[in-house]
Every structure is written in structure tokens, then in C-alpha cells.
Amino acid sequence: MACVLAVRAVMPPPSDMVKVAIEWPGANAQLIEIDQKKPLASIIREVCDGWSLSSSEQFGLRYADGPQLYITEQNRGDIKNGSILRLAISPMRAARQLLERIQSHGIDARLEALKELAKLSADPSFATEFIHTEGLGTLARLVESGTHFGEMLAFTLTAFLELMDHGIMSWDLISVSFIKQIAAYVNQPMMDVSILQRSLAILESMVLNSHSLYQRVAQETPVTQLITHLSNQEIQTYAIALINALFLKTPEDRRQEMASTLAQKHLRGIILNVSHIIRGNRPVKAEMAHQLYVLQVLTFNLLEERMMTKMDPNDQKQRDIIFELRRIAFDGDSDPSGTEKRKAIYTKDYRMLGFTNPVNPAIDFTQTPPGMLALDNMLYLAKVHQDTYIRIVLENSSREDKHECPFGRSAIELTRMLCDILQVGELPNEGCNDFHPMFFTHERAWEEFFCICIQLLNKTWKEMRATAEDFNKVMTVLREQVTRSLAMKPPSLEQLRVKLCSLSYSEVLRLRQSERMSQDDFQSPPIIELHERIQPEILELIKQQRLSRLCEGSCFRKLGNRRRQEKFWFCRLSLNHKVLHYGDLDESPQGEVPFELLTDKILVSDIKAVLTGKDCPHMKEKSALKQNKELLELAFSILYDPDEALNFVATNKYEYCIWRDGLSALLGKELGSDLTRSDLDTLMSMEMKLRLLDLENITIPEAPPPVPKEPSTYNFTYNYG
């Protein structure tokens, strides 16, 4: 008789059912299943009925942990199994109660209300209701009255900034008296740090979000006063951020004027010396590094107008500059009296100066970029570094072996190359921190940078024994020399000169060969076999390193807020590699975050896939990411449910690769990041060289050596007995 066993299939819970705990002060928590298909109002009504609470429309649900945001129909999909929620008064009711408490006569009650408001204002649902109840106007009047100080004023400004950050109300509606009061806080020398920070942040948002407010802020907040704040390390980032915002929004026809004002107030020297921003013992923080990068970009963008200006061959004033270059180079040569003879002499001199069009060298400057900027650079070299200029010109004009370096053509092409390397004319990239300290060490840093590079070009030309046909090859080598040196971030122009001098043509060839050798594998069969045997061991080593880094955890930045006050969250892998723990943080952590502070978790076994930001349909921050290609390349998502995802935006490319590799290792997939390929190449090269170290310069015979004959006696042995 056949025996049939019926096995009951264990079905997973429906994706639209979520198990949560809901708390209410003074009562036992309710453990319920939320049907995500039911209206949120019905769920709140059922929860209120469980505690016999009437008027359910006056209540709402909030998260009990983290930012404690209100749950709405729009964000309810983020509720996860095991979440702890809290029944609270509705956003509308909370907004009205807080507004009443803020207007109360009791100072202590008002302070507590403002403190709570500063925290709740980050919630979009509450912010909407508070603004609709004219709450922003009340806060603005409190500020305009000038009667609030200390903590009360700090909480008021924090709440105001958080509420405006949601973009519900236009900055253009802000009153002039409010702006004047905020500017007054900035202009007072002994104002509390927390108030200064918030005031500077509010002014920065005004400038960035409203052209009319930019003009008012520029009038009320002198740059001289902002520069004085750079000496305070607690507010210097906010101050330079406002300076950058004013610089960015200044009309193009007035940017040179503002740059001159900053130069007159010795902004560069203050950044270097007074505030110890660059030369201090402590490393530059990420936000300050970004602001210095923005200032560097905006300063170099002042060159764009000259870079895109073509020379007018008929403009005598512009032609006089070329005459001046000739005069300085060939001073002492008397001008011939005849017109034809003078023209012939000039043509010969311009050919010796290295212009492509010696008959009319003005034509050389009609191509943009670099336009007139190249001529400006050449004139600066000729006047400020006259001996160097004359040496370069005469050294090459007197050669007759076809190895002369054409100064004019070289200077023009060098200017174009430097503009491209430093991205002159491009707007600053959000999240980029690539500033160069050396550009803050000299008032004419751009011109000095050019002067150093033109000398290097002449030196490299001679080392390569180049001819006119090798011009492009020389420029390629020069570009490599400059970019390699810039990557080392020399702290001064003099140290840049030293680094460039050490990168001779032979050194560049050596580096290229070394890099090529480190990338190329030996092709003999025994070496290939050894390579194949070692590679799995190295890949396993990389895999374990990635998992170890995931166990340490990483901090990720939250996107979406319009001002530059960052918010963070942290994620780390459990030590048994089975659970991902994560949670929100108030600020970037210093060191490891304990598991106890990370209230949310995802089982590794529940992860379905890992997608990049551009491919993931769940990436909520996609609109913000689209505005920044660099951030989009650092985004990825974990899909652990058909309708749920955990979205990441790594702080840099390294962290992005670490997490992609680690998650791939957890899912049993190949590690395919650029970092893995780089690490694999490096470790394989090192391991192969170590394994083959004893074989260097040793010829291995094809046949084994013969066994020696047996000795006639063994008298050479020693008997220990």
C-alpha cells in the first residue's frame, strides 16, 4: 500500500501586511498587523478604539525611534516589520498647540515650546500644518521684535530654517525688517555662536534662493564683517559658505569688483594664517574643504571672460601688447626707418618668438579658448619674470638644429591645457572637495602657475629633444607631469615647482613602464598556471576584507535638503554576517557606532538584489541625484521586498566600491568593482613577485642535474656518541 505524505507549504506573509508595535503613554503597547491597503485613517481609528480614545481624527502615528516622523499615506510604505510606532496628536493639532504655547507669556513654557518646535520642524507633515496656521509669520515677528536672546533665539532660528527648508513657502516673501535683524546678529561682534551659525545659514539660503534677497543681504552684510568671522573655527565654515553664495550670485559684470574687494581685505591671507584653515594642525573637514573648493572654482571662473575673448587684429591697444613682448625679448635692437624693412624685421622677430602667424601674430589669439588669456599670461611672464622670459625666447630662437621650442605656440597651448585641467568656466560640483592649498598662497596664483609650467615645458622639450613635429607629444607628457603633481596636493607653488622638476621626462617614462609592468602578466605557461592557482586565494582575501569593513560600518549622507547642513545615517553588518543594522544619526560619527543605537535591521537572507542608483526604481532621492552626476555614480539600493528598498549614497568612490563588493560577497556573487580589480592587480603582482623572488637572475636547466657519485669513505662524519 502506497503511503502518501501531504506536506503543507509554508507561505510567506503577504507583502501588504506589516507587523508593528504601537505605544501610548501609560498603556500597554498594541501588537497589530497593519494592512497597507486600508486607509491610514481607518488604522488610526482602530488603534484609538483599542485604548478607548475618541476623536481619532485628532491623532496620528509617528515612529518611536530615530527622527520620529509622522506617518502619512505617502511614506507609509517605509514601515517595516518589527517597527515601533507611537500614537501621537495629529500634525494639525500639534501645530496649533505649539503655536499657542509659543505665544504664551511664561518664559519657561515658551522656551520648551520652541525647543520642541525646532525638533518637529524637520517633519514635512508638521511643517505643512504649522506654515498653514501662519506659524512662520509668528516666528518672523519674534525675531523682528529683537526681544529674544540665547537659547530661545537659537531654537527660533533653527525652527525657521527647518521650516523654510521644505520649500513650502517662498523666500521672496521674507520681510526687509526680518533680513535686517538677521544681518544685525551677524554684524554684532560678540554674538552667541549658535545664533551666528543659524543666522549665517539663513542668509546663505536667502542668497541662493532669491535674487531680490541677494541684493538686500549684500547691502546689509558687508564682506568685511564676514571675513572677521573666519577667525572663529566654530563658524568659519558658515561664513565662507555665505561669502561663496554672494560671490556666486553676484552679476557677472560685478564679480571682478567683488574679487578685488576680497583681495583688498586679504581673504587669502586670512584663510592661510589667521584662521589656520589650511595650515592648521587639524585636517580640513569635508564641508570646509568643499567651501574652499567652491571659492577656488569661483576665483578661477573670473578668467573665463578673457579666456573666451578673441583678439581683434585691428585693435591697436591689443596689438601693443604683442609689440611689448617683442620689445622686452629683443630690447636694444633699433627699429629700422623704412616701413618695409621694419615689417620684415618684425616678422623675423615674431617668428623667433614662436608665433604660428609671424606676419600677423594677432591671429594666433583669435581661437577660444584660450583667447586673450594666453596673451595675458605671456605678458605677466615677460614683465614679472623678465629674465626667465628672455632666457626662454633667446635660448630657442638662436638654435639652428630644428629643436627650438616655439614660445608663442607653447604658451597658447599651455594656457588652453591649464584651463581644461582646472575646469575654468565650469560651475562647482556639489559634494566635490578637490581644492588645492597652493592656490591660496599667492595673490596671482594662476599667473605664477603658468610661469612654472612654461618653464617645465621648455625643460621637457629639451629632455625629449623634440622638434616641431613632436609638439603634441610634448604637450601630452607635460599634461601628465602637471596632473601627477597636482594630485600630490603640494601646499605651496614652490613645492609644486620642486615636484614638477623631479618629474622629468625619463621619470615619466619610468613611471609609465612601472605601471605597465604592474598591469601586465608574464605569459609563460608556468607563470600563468601559478597565477591561476593564486588568484582564488587573493579573491577570498579581498572578500574577507570587504566583509570586515561592512562589520565596522559606514556613515551615509541623506539627500534632499536644500541647504548645506548634512544629515546622516549609519549601517553596519552583524559579526555573524546575517543581519544589516542601520539607523539615523544627528551628526557624522567619530568611530564605530554600537548596534544598540541602530534600531532598524534587514536580514541578509531577505535581500533580493543590489542595484545601482541609476537602475533602481525605488531611489527616492533620484531627482536630487539627477542634478549631480557624481552623486548618482555613488548611489545603490538593496531590494529586500518587491516594494521595499534601502537606498545608499556613499560618501566617496572607495566606500561605494567597498559596500558593493561586500553586498555581492554576502549574496554569493562576483566582486566586480573597480576597487576589486585594482586590489586584485596589486596583490597578485606582489604575490607573484614574492613567489618568484628566488628565481630572479637564475637560469633553470631544462634537465635535472646528475646525482653525484658516492664518496669512497665516510670519515668526514661526526659521531656525537
Side-chain angles (χ1 to χ4, degrees):
M1 181 178 179
C3 179
V4 179
L5 295 177
V7 180
R8 183 179 179 183
V10 179
M11 299 297 292
S15 59
D16 52 6
M17 300 298 293
V18 184
K19 295 181 179 180
V20 299
I22 302 181
E23 299 176 338
W24 175 253
N28 294 327
Q30 295 186 36
L31 302 177
I32 67 170
E33 280 191 345
I34 292 180
D35 186 351
Q36 294 285 40
K37 293 181 179 179
K38 291 178 64 175
L40 188 59
S42 299
I43 296 171
I44 295 174
R45 188 182 306 113
E46 292 175 4
V47 173
C48 289
D49 291 343
W51 283 310
S52 302
L53 298 173
S54 59
S55 304
S56 62
E57 68 277 0
Q58 297 189 20
F59 292 91
L61 290 176
R62 294 171 61 185
Y63 288 99
D65 301 314
Q68 302 180 6
L69 299 177
Y70 276 99
I71 294 169
T72 64
E73 291 289 357
Q74 290 72 34
N75 66 16
R76 61 185 295 180
D78 296 335
I79 303 175
K80 303 173 180 61
N81 280 313
S83 296
I84 301 176
L85 309 181
R86 178 177 298 157
L87 186 67
I89 59 175
S90 66
M92 180 185 295
R93 188 176 167 191
R96 290 177 178 174
Q97 287 184 1
L98 275 177
L99 190 57
E100 291 176 3
R101 291 165 56 193
I102 289 170
Q103 295 173 324
S104 66
H105 297 291
I107 295 179
D108 292 339
R110 192 185 302 176
L111 178 61
E112 285 301 315
L114 287 169
K115 184 176 181 180
E116 187 176 345
L117 176 64
K119 184 177 180 181
L120 268 176
S121 295
D123 188 297
S125 303
F126 172 83
T128 302
E129 297 296 339
F130 190 80
I131 291 173
H132 287 166
T133 57
E134 302 298 329
L136 262 177
T138 301
L139 293 181
R141 286 190 292 273
L142 289 176
V143 173
E144 291 168 10
S145 68
T147 57
H148 286 60
F149 303 97
E151 275 190 314
M152 191 173 292
L153 179 58
F155 288 134
T156 303
L157 296 178
T158 301
F160 183 88
L161 191 55
E162 289 282 1
L163 291 167
M164 291 298 296
D165 192 42
H166 294 287
I168 301 170
M169 182 175 174
S170 171
W171 283 95
D172 288 316
L173 300 176
I174 302 300
S175 67
V176 174
S177 57
F178 180 85
I179 299 172
K180 288 186 174 182
Q181 188 61 52
I182 296 295
Y185 296 143
V186 172
N187 295 332
Q188 288 183 27
M190 300 300 293
M191 182 56 63
D192 183 77
V193 168
S194 59
I195 295 173
L196 273 175
Q197 289 176 339
R198 289 153 181 80
S199 298
L200 289 166
I202 289 173
L203 292 176
E204 181 196 0
S205 294
M206 289 179 182
V207 171
L208 294 176
N209 290 285
S210 170
H211 177 70
S212 60
L213 293 190
Y214 149 74
Q215 295 176 326
R216 175 62 64 177
V217 172
Q219 291 174 6
E220 299 291 339
T221 318
V223 173
T224 52
Q225 184 60 38
L226 295 178
I227 290 176
T228 61
H229 290 312
L230 293 178
S231 59
N232 188 329
Q233 293 185 352
E234 293 182 280
I235 59 175
Q236 59 188 198
T237 303
Y238 296 87
I240 201 168
L242 179 54
I243 291 173
N244 284 337
L246 291 168
F247 204 164
L248 183 64
K249 293 298 181 178
T250 299
E252 291 186 9
D253 58 343
R254 291 177 51 199
R255 283 185 186 169
Q256 287 286 358
E257 179 185 342
M258 181 170 182
S260 300
T261 302
L262 295 176
Q264 291 172 6
K265 302 305 177 183
H266 307 292
L267 174 63
R268 179 191 61 79
I270 292 172
I271 289 176
L272 276 177
N273 303 317
V274 178
S275 58
H276 305 288
I277 293 173
I278 294 178
R279 289 180 174 171
N281 296 324
R282 297 185 301 177
V284 178
K285 293 183 178 179
E287 177 59 21
M288 175 55 77
H290 173 75
Q291 295 300 340
L292 291 174
Y293 155 76
V294 172
L295 182 59
Q296 172 185 292
V297 171
L298 295 177
T299 303
F300 282 143
N301 282 355
L302 296 173
L303 304 169
E304 183 181 13
E305 181 182 357
R306 295 292 284 174
M307 180 183 76
M308 301 307 295
T309 300
K310 296 181 180 181
M311 185 172 186
D312 182 0
N314 299 318
D315 189 324
Q316 187 59 41
K317 187 176 181 181
Q318 294 180 3
R319 292 171 63 88
D320 287 344
I321 300 176
I322 300 178
F323 294 154
E324 182 69 5
L325 291 175
R326 175 196 169 275
R327 185 195 66 77
I328 295 173
F330 307 111
D331 189 29
D333 294 351
S334 58
D335 286 344
S337 54
T339 304
E340 291 298 324
K341 195 171 182 180
R342 183 187 304 114
K343 186 175 181 180
I345 293 294
Y346 282 5
T347 300
K348 178 185 175 183
D349 289 348
Y350 290 143
R351 183 176 289 108
M352 294 171 67
L353 277 171
F355 288 111
T356 306
N357 298 278
V359 175
N360 187 4
I363 298 175
D364 287 20
F365 301 97
T366 56
Q367 185 177 357
T368 57
M372 289 294 290
L373 183 60
L375 187 58
D376 295 342
N377 288 340
M378 295 165 70
L379 185 63
Y380 180 88
L381 174 68
K383 287 192 169 183
V384 179
H385 301 280
Q386 192 171 111
D387 292 342
T388 300
Y389 168 70
I390 294 173
R391 177 178 55 80
I392 292 175
V393 172
L394 297 184
E395 191 176 83
N396 289 285
S397 62
S398 60
R399 301 186 65 164
E400 298 180 358
D401 55 0
K402 296 184 180 181
H403 290 289
E404 68 277 2
C405 175
F407 170 74
R409 182 185 176 189
S410 299
I412 293 170
E413 190 58 36
L414 174 62
T415 302
R416 180 186 292 109
M417 185 187 78
L418 296 183
C419 288
D420 183 53
I421 291 174
L422 296 177
Q423 298 180 327
V424 174
E426 299 289 334
L427 288 175
N429 288 324
E430 187 73 18
C432 182
N433 303 333
D434 188 25
F435 82 97
H436 295 278
M438 68 178 186
F439 290 129
F440 293 89
T441 63
H442 200 285
E443 292 293 349
R444 305 293 294 272
W446 163 261
E447 291 85 351
E448 290 295 321
F449 183 42
F450 168 83
C451 293
I452 292 172
C453 291
I454 194 70
Q455 294 177 70
L456 175 68
L457 191 156
N458 193 55
K459 173 176 173 286
T460 302
W461 185 283
K462 289 188 288 186
E463 291 173 347
M464 296 177 66
R465 292 193 55 78
T467 61
E469 290 75 17
D470 301 318
F471 185 86
N472 291 334
K473 186 187 296 184
V474 174
M475 295 306 298
T476 301
V477 173
L478 181 69
R479 186 184 188 95
E480 186 172 346
Q481 290 171 313
V482 173
T483 52
R484 284 181 183 273
S485 298
L486 286 177
M488 302 177 194
K489 297 292 179 73
S492 68
L493 288 165
E494 188 55 40
Q495 293 198 32
L496 171 72
R497 187 193 304 273
V498 172
K499 292 184 183 298
L500 287 172
C501 288
S502 65
L503 272 176
S504 61
Y505 176 56
S506 59
E507 178 65 13
V508 170
L509 292 179
R510 188 192 68 78
L511 290 172
R512 286 178 177 177
Q513 181 68 15
S514 175
E515 291 169 358
R516 193 178 299 116
M517 288 294 293
S518 66
Q519 296 171 0
D520 295 341
D521 295 326
F522 298 105
Q523 297 302 314
S524 62
I527 302 299
I528 293 175
E529 182 181 351
L530 178 61
H531 186 280
E532 292 174 350
R533 290 178 59 184
I534 293 174
Q535 184 164 323
E537 301 174 13
I538 300 299
L539 284 173
E540 180 63 25
L541 182 65
I542 295 173
K543 174 183 172 182
Q544 294 304 320
Q545 188 271 340
R546 301 294 193 262
L547 292 175
S548 176
R549 276 288 290 109
L550 263 62
C551 289
E552 294 175 11
S554 297
C555 183
F556 298 93
R557 187 173 58 175
K558 282 192 170 184
L559 295 182
N561 50 329
R562 295 171 179 78
R563 58 192 161 85
R564 295 201 47 80
Q565 182 175 341
E566 297 182 312
K567 296 183 179 180
F568 305 91
W569 66 285
F570 197 88
C571 185
R572 61 181 297 197
L573 179 66
S574 63
L575 299 181
N576 61 6
H577 299 174
K578 293 185 178 181
V579 182
L580 281 173
H581 297 265
Y582 64 97
D584 293 334
L585 300 175
D586 293 331
E587 58 184 15
S588 181
Q590 303 296 326
E592 195 174 273
V593 177
F595 288 110
E596 295 76 20
L597 298 180
L598 306 177
T599 55
D600 298 308
K601 62 183 179 181
I602 296 175
L603 295 177
V604 172
S605 58
D606 290 342
I607 297 177
K608 309 299 182 187
V610 178
L611 301 178
T612 59
K614 60 184 178 181
D615 297 327
C616 179
H618 299 266
M619 181 62 75
K620 297 175 189 174
E621 297 90 345
K622 207 163 186 180
S623 60
L625 292 172
K626 279 183 178 178
Q627 301 173 9
N628 193 321
K629 187 177 179 181
E630 289 186 10
L631 288 183
L632 184 61
E633 293 175 352
L634 301 178
F636 60 97
S637 295
I638 292 177
L639 303 185
Y640 58 96
D641 189 272
D643 297 318
E644 295 191 37
L646 183 62
N647 303 315
F648 298 74
V649 179
T651 54
N652 51 53
K653 187 70 173 177
Y654 176 80
E655 288 293 331
Y656 171 81
C657 292
I658 287 288
W659 276 83
R660 277 204 61 190
D661 287 342
L663 293 171
S664 297
L666 289 174
L667 299 179
K669 297 181 179 180
E670 289 187 6
L671 280 60
S673 72
D674 295 339
L675 182 62
T676 291
R677 286 190 286 271
S678 174
D679 287 351
L680 181 62
D681 290 343
T682 302
L683 294 173
M684 283 296 299
S685 175
M686 291 173 58
E687 187 66 18
M688 291 288 289
K689 289 174 181 177
L690 286 172
R691 298 279 183 104
L692 300 173
L693 190 61
D694 294 336
L695 302 181
E696 287 187 1
N697 301 322
I698 297 177
T699 303
I700 302 177
E702 296 184 4
V707 178
K709 294 181 179 181
E710 188 175 343
S712 56
T713 66
Y714 290 88
N715 294 335
F716 55 84
T717 61
Y718 183 79
N719 189 349
Y720 286 94

